[in-house]
Amino acid sequence: MVTGMVDIDPDRLRAAFDDYSAIGATDDDGLHRLTLSADDQRVRDEFVSDLEDLGVSVRVDPVGNVFGRREGTDADAAPVLVGSHLDSQPYGGRYDGQLGVLAALETLRALDDHDVETTRPVEIVDWTNEEGSRFKPALMGSGVYAGAHDLDTVLETTDDQGTTVAEALEEIGYRGDEPVGPTERPDSYLELHVEQGPFLEEHGNAVGVVDGILGMAWLEVTITGDSDHAGPTPMHTRSDALVAAADVVTAVRRLSTRLGDDVVTTVGELSVEPDSINVIPSEVTFTVDLRSYDDATVDEGVAAVEAELAAACEREGVDYSLEKIWQIPHTEFSPGVRDAVEDAASEADRSFERMVGGAGHDASYVNDVTDAGMVFVPSVDGKTHNEAEFTEWEDVVAGVEVFANATRRLAERDE
Ligand SMILES: [Zn+2]
């Protein structure tokens, strides 16, 4: 049984946060640290040096995921894996990803401070290319680890300069030769992350205990009408692709309230041909992003988009095609990991709520391999993926304290 809490050191955590944030810092307190860049190399070097100072053994796999292992007392026990990602969005924030890695690092340091020997090993990880902004797809390192992406295909992926992932890994010295994927199935995985939404702040809670991640479908729609002159062509003879598209964009927005409470719908890309001030649009292409925790609702939403599209195109006398370009079911995290987080939050007397995450995370892929879970900390105004991303320091401390103690509980559990 676990008795007594492990105290973290908030000052040491702050110092580490400031040190890491200086690598790839922007003028406006943000972070520009694209995956496998020179700054990613610098921050990885600092991370590895911090791990070596702790005496943990470091290994790097072929896609550049960095692992550090603190041994437990039972040599046969499966490890608890903890971590997140050190890459950032272009001109992104300092909290997304980095905070999760530093929460895990502070956890290892706090265990050492108090000479805590856990039964299970605790392994820390920095996943390569979570963000997907330089190389696609996102969640690259965890996806390879979980077997969702093929290693060779990923290594040949290029950025917009034509550099491959393999070349970029060689360049920064992080193309490891350890086996890909779990050599042993971890007991569990825990990741701390900023919420990236407004709910914890709105509800005044310190910690989010994450039940899972929304499922999602991506659609690509093309509407084809007739281009003609904007002056001489009477209104009643027009087949305007953009007018039909406008109806669909509005309908997609309204669908969210009709389908269910947690449904979010977005048209994020739209292009118009020929895109000229005095020509009736002949072709419009746009995307739809549709998410819900309920996979059947996502399917229902896709069918509803198609019905709205068919009706709008019929009214305007235009044709359409609709392609589903991606769909992933919702992620349901492990009840056992969730319990460990809730118990740790109760013990630390920190206010918490159960919630569902709207964005993809490395934990989603790791959940395919083992029991995964996440801890969210509040995001001021829900802002993320830009330099204004901010979490109050007292919320960081509360979250990391809960995270460290949940990790310890997992590292002591039996099954
Ligand atoms: Zn992230």
Side-chain angles (χ1 to χ4, degrees):
M1 269 314 289
V2 180
T3 49
M5 281 182 40
V6 177
D7 290 325
I8 62 161
D9 181 340
D11 293 337
R12 178 176 57 199
L13 178 62
R14 179 79 230 186
F17 182 77
D18 290 343
D19 282 352
Y20 280 57
S21 297
I23 304 170
T26 65
D27 292 341
D28 293 316
D29 290 334
L31 202 57
H32 182 79
R33 201 163 65 205
L34 300 189
T35 192
L36 310 183
S37 62
D39 281 330
D40 189 18
Q41 177 183 7
R42 268 177 228 123
V43 77
R44 284 162 174 261
D45 288 351
E46 174 137 356
F47 178 58
V48 167
S49 139
D50 284 341
L51 294 180
E52 285 168 352
D53 288 347
L54 282 167
V56 307
S57 53
V58 176
R59 60 181 208 283
V60 182
D61 76 10
V63 71
N65 296 320
V66 179
F67 298 87
R69 183 182 174 102
R70 183 184 193 269
E71 292 299 339
T73 53
D74 180 352
D76 298 326
V80 176
L81 192 58
V82 289
S84 193
H85 60 96
L86 287 170
D87 66 321
S88 85
Q89 285 284 322
Y91 297 91
R94 293 174 294 169
Y95 298 83
D96 177 354
Q98 168 166 280
L99 193 61
V101 174
L102 293 176
L105 180 63
E106 176 57 31
T107 298
L108 295 193
R109 287 171 165 169
L111 291 173
D112 271 15
D113 285 349
H114 305 284
D115 298 321
V116 176
E117 293 189 322
T118 55
T119 313
R120 299 180 178 282
V122 178
E123 280 201 358
I124 187 170
V125 58
D126 165 33
W127 301 111
T128 294
N129 188 24
E130 190 273 350
E131 298 290 1
S133 35
R134 179 179 174 195
F135 296 101
K136 293 190 174 39
L139 311 178
M140 184 175 270
S142 55
V144 168
Y145 173 85
H149 301 320
D150 173 60
L151 175 64
D152 291 332
T153 308
V154 159
L155 290 175
E156 287 162 17
T157 304
T158 52
D159 65 7
D160 58 14
Q161 307 294 310
T163 306
T164 64
V165 168
E167 287 163 351
L169 284 164
E170 296 281 0
E171 174 78 26
I172 69 164
Y174 281 87
R175 185 168 178 179
D177 48 15
E178 292 289 326
V180 182
T183 45
E184 57 186 330
R185 181 187 181 276
D187 167 74
S188 46
Y189 173 73
L190 188 61
E191 176 170 356
L192 178 143
H193 205 277
V194 283
E195 181 196 348
Q196 303 177 294
F199 295 116
L200 288 172
E201 187 183 42
E202 272 177 28
H203 303 158
N205 284 322
V207 168
V209 183
V210 187
D211 281 324
I213 306 288
L214 300 183
M216 167 164 66
W218 280 0
L219 311 177
E220 191 171 274
V221 177
T222 303
I223 297 179
T224 314
D226 284 325
S227 66
D228 216 329
H229 198 297
T233 312
M235 299 308 285
H236 72 275
T237 67
R238 297 184 180 204
S239 298
D240 185 328
L242 184 56
V243 168
D247 280 354
V248 180
V249 171
T250 310
V252 164
R253 170 65 181 254
R254 292 194 180 128
L255 267 182
S256 57
T257 35
R258 200 172 93 206
L259 287 170
D261 281 348
D262 76 339
V263 176
V264 282
T265 54
T266 307
V267 174
E269 292 178 14
L270 187 144
S271 70
V272 180
E273 293 291 332
D275 202 20
S276 170
I277 189 168
N278 56 359
V279 181
I280 297 163
S282 57
E283 187 173 290
V284 175
T285 304
F286 61 93
T287 56
V288 179
D289 174 310
L290 201 153
R291 306 183 191 209
S292 168
Y293 198 58
D294 182 34
D295 299 331
T297 302
V298 173
D299 289 337
E300 208 184 310
V302 171
V305 170
E306 175 140 33
E308 296 285 356
L309 177 63
C313 289
E314 168 142 25
R315 282 195 298 276
E316 188 60 23
V318 294
D319 296 323
Y320 71 87
S321 67
L322 178 146
E323 194 190 348
K324 195 196 295 177
I325 52 179
W326 195 38
Q327 180 158 15
I328 48 164
H330 78 286
T331 300
E332 193 169 344
F333 288 136
S334 150
V337 175
R338 196 175 63 207
D339 287 350
V341 176
E342 287 191 336
D343 290 347
S346 298
E347 187 183 32
D349 202 21
R350 300 294 190 177
S351 58
F352 63 90
E353 67 181 276
R354 299 260 294 269
M355 61 196 311
V356 166
H361 292 289
D362 292 312
S364 307
Y365 275 138
V366 185
N367 195 54
D368 294 340
V369 173
T370 185
D371 293 352
M374 295 188 77
V375 177
F376 279 172
V377 294
S379 297
V380 171
D381 295 332
K383 280 206 175 1
T384 188
H385 282 192
N386 66 60
E387 294 166 293
E389 183 182 273
F390 185 71
T391 297
E392 298 287 352
W393 190 250
E394 62 185 31
D395 289 333
V396 169
V397 171
V400 175
E401 180 185 57
V402 169
F403 178 86
N405 283 283
T407 301
R408 184 193 178 183
R409 284 170 178 272
L410 292 170
E412 296 291 351
R413 74 173 184 167
D414 294 332
E415 12 102 45

